[in-house]
Amino acid sequence: SVNEIRKDFPLLENQKVIYLDTAATSQKPVCVLEAEREFYEKYNANPLRGLYELGEAATEKYEEARETVRGFLNARETAEIVFVRNATEGLNLVAYSFGSLVLKPGDEILVSIMEHHSNLLPWQMVCRQTGASLKFMECEMDGTLDLNKVEALITPKTKIVACTHVSNVLGRVNPIRELAALAHRVGAVLVVDGAQSTPHIPVDVQALDADFFAFSGHKVYGPMGIGVLYGREELLNAMPPFLTGGEMIESVTRDGAVFAELPHKFEAGTVNAADAVGLHAAIDYVKSIGFTAMHQQEVALTRRAMDAIGEMPHVHVLGSEKPEEHCGIITFTVDGVHPHDISEILASDGVAIRAGHHCAQPLLAYLKHPSTARASLAFYNTESEVDRLLDSISTLRERMGYGK
């Protein structure tokens, strides 16, 4: 039950705030906190370096976490799993290492208008450096991508297609496998931002046929500071290191270096072993709950919220009218009330939501909304919390002086 699940999350149990900002970062279960603590208490040594027993134990814990991530994504090889700080770093790694390797003047990168800035700004930078150009896949008002329109945009000049798996504004799940087929038809690669999908739906990178896939641990109930980049082994092998320094080399001379094998050539310096172990615990926790149960709770809560909001004049939800197509993300506006005022008033009621452009300014400009409010739900939220959100939203205009 949700009440039992909530006991696993200390912040939800111990604080009075109603936390509806999981799309920004998720709360952490006790098992994740304990896993990190245990690493520092029992295994604290620099992984991959010391040949003594403690160093070997630290290395084993770190590599166990990598294998757990491989299974979570159904990657073919553990070598295809690179630990990074977050999805942003993973996407930058692909842009600068792979993009700089393959792009030349006249080439094109195709990105969706729905991208978080993390999967847009790196491509803008690489285009400036290589002479490639950026093109956009525009979505329909409900967030769907028309694959016929996408197909018309893909040409032999297209080298990279970049798309979010789930929009952090609209909650829409994009047709990644179909995009992969269109990209591969012209020899392009598909880069997927999975930051919002991994907390909500099963991900199988082989079934999706993604070439690269990045996600952040802190959004999937794990620690901040750890993320993952999956890449096809043959692509990663061809790419130069993104960062250079310790541990990512086989040998160094005065004149050059031989880089380590995958995935270590992309993990320069002391690795974030404790957070990797925490991510391992988070993935185990997600498996113990199960995506089916998580999805059922999130859809039920989203439906409760959207049904009630649909009865409120002056309140508008962006995206699909179907609650099951939102992945727990409810982005909305209230006529005459600035989203920052919405957020502040709700905060005074003890309800934590997000307001602003959600690091997706091109999408909001396309939708003709400079900023919006966003409540993002997770399986650990309750009906009473949703009702508190709805009570606050229903009084917003009155409290701003518009009358009843």
Side-chain angles (χ1 to χ4, degrees):
S1 70
V2 179
N3 289 333
E4 288 298 313
I5 286 172
R6 286 175 69 85
K7 294 177 183 178
D8 296 331
F9 294 87
L11 188 144
L12 297 179
E13 285 292 278
N14 299 333
Q15 296 194 21
K16 295 180 180 179
V17 67
I18 293 173
Y19 187 76
L20 302 178
D21 196 21
T22 292
T25 195
S26 60
Q27 294 305 319
K28 322 304 176 195
V30 171
C31 62
V32 170
L33 309 180
E34 289 178 344
E36 286 203 75
R37 181 184 181 92
E38 181 184 54
F39 178 85
Y40 283 123
E41 288 183 342
K42 295 183 179 180
Y43 306 103
N44 185 39
N46 205 324
L48 310 169
R49 304 205 180 187
L51 297 180
Y52 47 87
E53 184 176 352
L54 190 61
E56 291 175 349
T59 300
E60 183 177 351
K61 289 293 180 181
Y62 183 65
E63 294 302 334
E64 283 176 359
R66 195 190 309 275
E67 172 58 23
T68 295
V69 172
R70 185 209 62 75
F72 185 58
L73 298 181
N74 192 33
R76 298 164 190 78
E77 303 291 340
T78 307
E80 296 178 317
I81 303 300
V82 179
F83 281 123
V84 289
R85 287 188 305 127
N86 43 44
T88 299
E89 184 177 299
L91 294 166
N92 272 270
L93 192 164
V94 177
Y96 287 100
S97 181
F98 180 77
S100 299
L101 182 69
V102 302
L103 293 171
K104 62 184 186 300
D107 288 340
E108 295 176 349
I109 302 172
L110 185 61
V111 301
S112 89
I113 194 68
M114 289 176 278
E115 294 316 301
H116 188 282
H117 297 164
S118 298
N119 204 24
L120 173 60
L121 298 184
W123 304 115
Q124 290 179 345
M125 291 289 292
V126 168
C127 282
R128 285 194 285 271
Q129 293 174 358
T130 63
S133 60
L134 206 59
K135 291 169 62 175
F136 285 88
M137 303 177 275
E138 294 181 346
C139 63
E140 308 304 310
M141 288 299 105
D142 66 354
T144 54
L145 282 174
D146 185 329
L147 290 172
N148 290 323
K149 293 180 181 178
V150 173
E151 185 174 13
L153 292 170
I154 295 179
T155 74
K157 294 181 180 180
T158 307
K159 303 303 178 185
I160 295 169
V161 178
C163 189
T164 182
H165 197 179
V166 170
S167 166
N168 73 315
V169 174
L170 303 175
R172 168 68 66 175
V173 180
N174 283 315
I176 296 301
R177 183 170 179 81
E178 290 79 2
L179 290 175
L182 292 174
H184 294 159
R185 191 179 300 171
V186 297
V189 304
L190 180 67
V191 182
V192 182
D193 176 359
Q196 294 296 338
S197 61
T198 45
H200 298 283
I201 59 177
V203 171
D204 182 333
V205 292
Q206 293 190 65
L208 293 174
D209 208 15
D211 298 294
F212 296 100
F213 185 100
F215 76 93
S216 294
H218 73 97
K219 293 187 190 292
V220 67
Y221 314 103
M224 295 181 182
I226 191 74
V228 170
L229 173 67
Y230 156 81
R232 291 188 190 274
E233 187 173 13
E234 62 272 22
L235 298 177
L236 291 175
N237 269 323
M239 291 159 53
F242 177 47
L243 300 171
T244 54
E247 197 51 49
M248 47 74 63
I249 51 88
E250 289 292 344
S251 62
V252 178
T253 66
R254 294 190 183 201
D255 302 317
V258 177
F259 299 124
E261 294 182 353
L262 293 178
H264 303 294
K265 75 171 181 177
F266 293 112
E267 295 179 358
T270 297
V271 298
N272 188 358
D275 283 348
V277 169
L279 178 58
H280 181 169
I283 290 172
D284 285 347
Y285 182 81
V286 167
K287 290 178 179 177
S288 74
I289 302 297
F291 279 114
T292 299
M294 293 164 66
H295 178 73
Q296 289 174 347
Q297 176 68 0
E298 289 164 2
V299 170
L301 295 177
T302 306
R303 178 173 289 110
R304 188 181 187 91
M306 288 180 61
D307 285 351
I309 289 173
E311 300 297 321
M312 297 180 190
H314 308 293
V315 184
H316 314 281
V317 174
L318 277 65
S320 173
E321 296 180 354
K322 300 177 181 179
E324 63 271 21
E325 294 180 345
H326 278 260
C327 284
I329 292 173
I330 305 170
T331 299
F332 65 97
T333 60
V334 179
D335 293 341
V337 185
H338 194 281
H340 290 162
D341 292 326
I342 296 173
S343 180
E344 285 197 22
I345 292 172
L346 265 61
S348 71
D349 293 341
V351 180
I353 67 164
R354 182 57 57 98
H357 52 67
H358 317 298
C359 293
Q361 282 185 282
L363 173 61
L364 290 186
Y366 173 71
L367 297 173
K368 296 182 171 54
H369 291 290
S371 62
T372 60
R374 183 187 71 188
S376 48
L377 311 169
F379 67 96
Y380 48 53
N381 290 121
T382 65
E383 290 184 355
S384 62
E385 290 181 321
V386 170
D387 291 343
R388 283 276 300 279
L389 168 72
L390 296 168
D391 288 344
S392 291
I393 293 175
S394 68
T395 64
L396 281 169
R397 282 176 53 86
E398 181 180 354
R399 292 158 79 176
M400 289 296 292
Y402 289 98
K404 293 187 178 180

